[in-house]
Amino acid sequence: MGFPANGASATDKPLKFLIYGRTGWIGGVLGRLCQAQSIDFAYASGRLEDRASLVADLAAVKPTHVFNAAGVTGRPNVDWCESHKVETIRTNVVGTLTLADVCREKGLVLINFATGCIFEYDSDHPVGSGIGFKEEDTPNFVGSFYSKTKAMVEDLLNNYENVCTLRVRMPISSDLSNPRNFITKITRYEKVVNIPNSMTILDELLPISIEMAKRNLTGIWNFTNPGVVSHNEILEMYREYIDPYFTWKNFTLEEQAKVIIAPRSNNELDATKLKQEFPELLPIKESLIKYVFKPNQKTTGA
């Protein structure tokens, strides 16, 4: 197939990234990171479900690596997928598999931004135990149609030796004006649940995804900061660093279930594999302070 050996660096020719998901949050940040690092890149114009358009993209751009940050999460949230099942399958399953297949034909590594919302706490992985789900564990959360399709496609993609699957969870960034940002979401909710979860600090982890491409890493990776943080812990930090007058109300999972269509995933992912590859990776609470809250801190007396 001509894939670079897993972990081998692609120093033989200059990097050129092809990015799917230009209009998405992660896709936009990836492009800015490439610009900052002077990495040559292009946004794809093809649609994931249109194989011919993907083949044309690869022929036109001639990338060394492909990033997939396109997909359907639903607007305003994953409840949309419950009533748009065919559209969800078309992009999240058929489209993603088609892109992986086209990349494989060309001997290209595909960095695929996936989700870790395919697990939920259970008797072997209780809340607060510190026992996280590992990369090789079988997904146990099928509460939402979105998660169900994501678990299916992850299993199928695992047969493609050119794919690097990054399980993102509850993404957070320093851009607190972004409505997709988990912090921004929960500060705007009328009520929030309070459950510890693994989360992904994009400001720290997206540069790591670029480094993973450079190293030609493949396989499944829990793409979260080590450890967990709860909704209340985040909102307490928000109050401490951003808005001292901020208040919020909690409600239970049972109460939450009455106002959402599909259940939501709550879990801890084991980030040991990622931490071994990138020892500098910060625990979730430290990462939140360094990358999100300190840069946004309102200075007193100013």
Side-chain angles (χ1 to χ4, degrees):
M1 286 308 302
F3 297 114
N6 199 2
S9 68
T11 47
D12 51 337
K13 58 177 173 173
L15 294 170
K16 182 157 193 192
F17 293 167
L18 176 62
I19 301 170
Y20 286 83
R22 157 180 233 149
T23 58
W25 180 21
I26 287 177
V29 177
L30 278 174
R32 292 193 290 277
L33 285 170
C34 287
Q35 285 172 330
Q37 292 189 31
S38 301
I39 295 170
D40 194 10
F41 77 99
Y43 282 113
S45 49
R47 302 289 300 172
L48 290 188
E49 57 272 23
D50 178 359
R51 187 181 183 99
S53 74
L54 305 186
V55 172
D57 279 342
L58 294 183
V61 175
K62 298 185 175 58
T64 59
H65 300 79
V66 180
F67 286 74
N68 180 32
V72 172
T73 52
R75 292 287 185 277
N77 55 49
V78 295
D79 284 342
W80 180 91
C81 299
E82 300 297 317
S83 53
H84 297 79
K85 291 184 175 177
V86 170
E87 295 96 318
T88 304
I89 292 169
R90 188 179 295 138
T91 303
N92 288 358
V93 182
V94 178
T96 306
L97 286 169
T98 303
L99 181 57
D101 198 58
V102 168
C103 288
R104 186 178 184 274
E105 282 188 342
K106 296 289 180 195
L108 295 171
V109 167
L110 171 65
I111 307 286
N112 185 50
F113 288 92
T115 183
C117 291
I118 52 178
F119 295 98
E120 63 180 339
Y121 289 118
D122 62 15
S123 56
D124 293 325
H125 309 80
V127 182
S129 66
I131 302 167
F133 290 92
K134 294 183 164 66
E135 280 78 5
E136 59 274 16
D137 287 338
T138 304
N140 69 342
F141 178 73
V142 289
S144 70
F145 189 75
Y146 166 81
S147 292
K148 197 182 292 185
T149 63
K150 288 290 195 172
M152 286 177 196
V153 78
E154 184 189 273
D155 188 43
L156 292 167
L157 283 175
N158 210 19
N159 297 290
Y160 281 79
E161 69 277 33
N162 62 311
V163 175
C164 179
T165 290
L166 304 180
R167 290 176 175 164
V168 173
R169 287 210 73 234
M170 297 179 165
I172 290 170
S173 88
S174 54
D175 178 8
L176 295 179
S177 64
N178 190 318
R180 310 299 307 283
N181 190 335
F182 180 75
I183 297 177
T184 311
K185 282 185 185 177
I186 64 173
T187 57
R188 294 178 181 177
Y189 287 160
E190 198 179 321
K191 291 180 179 175
V192 294
V193 292
N194 182 38
I195 304 167
N197 270 285
S198 286
M199 301 188 191
T200 303
I201 307 297
L202 296 179
D203 303 67
E204 181 173 17
L205 283 158
L206 288 187
I208 284 177
S209 73
I210 290 175
E211 183 57 35
M212 293 175 85
K214 291 178 183 175
R215 296 181 192 181
N216 289 308
L217 298 173
T218 55
I220 296 172
W221 297 77
N222 287 339
F223 203 60
T224 55
N225 290 83
V228 291
V229 64
S230 70
H231 299 66
N232 282 10
E233 285 172 324
I234 289 178
L235 293 174
E236 282 159 11
M237 288 182 194
Y238 186 86
R239 185 170 61 195
E240 180 183 347
Y241 287 91
I242 312 296
D243 178 3
Y245 302 106
F246 184 76
T247 59
W248 67 94
K249 294 192 185 84
N250 288 124
F251 65 164
T252 64
L253 277 174
E254 292 72 28
E255 290 168 319
Q256 182 197 45
K258 293 173 183 165
V259 296
I260 56 177
I261 294 168
R264 303 295 195 259
S265 153
N266 293 288
N267 69 51
E268 176 172 356
L269 298 182
D270 184 328
T272 303
K273 181 179 173 183
L274 192 65
K275 176 81 174 170
Q276 283 174 343
E277 186 72 30
F278 298 95
E280 67 277 17
L281 184 63
L282 290 177
I284 184 64
K285 291 171 195 172
E286 289 178 35
S287 189
L288 272 166
I289 292 167
K290 177 178 177 179
Y291 289 98
V292 181
F293 287 117
K294 282 263 174 77
N296 281 292
Q297 190 167 15
K298 301 285 186 278
T299 50
T300 52

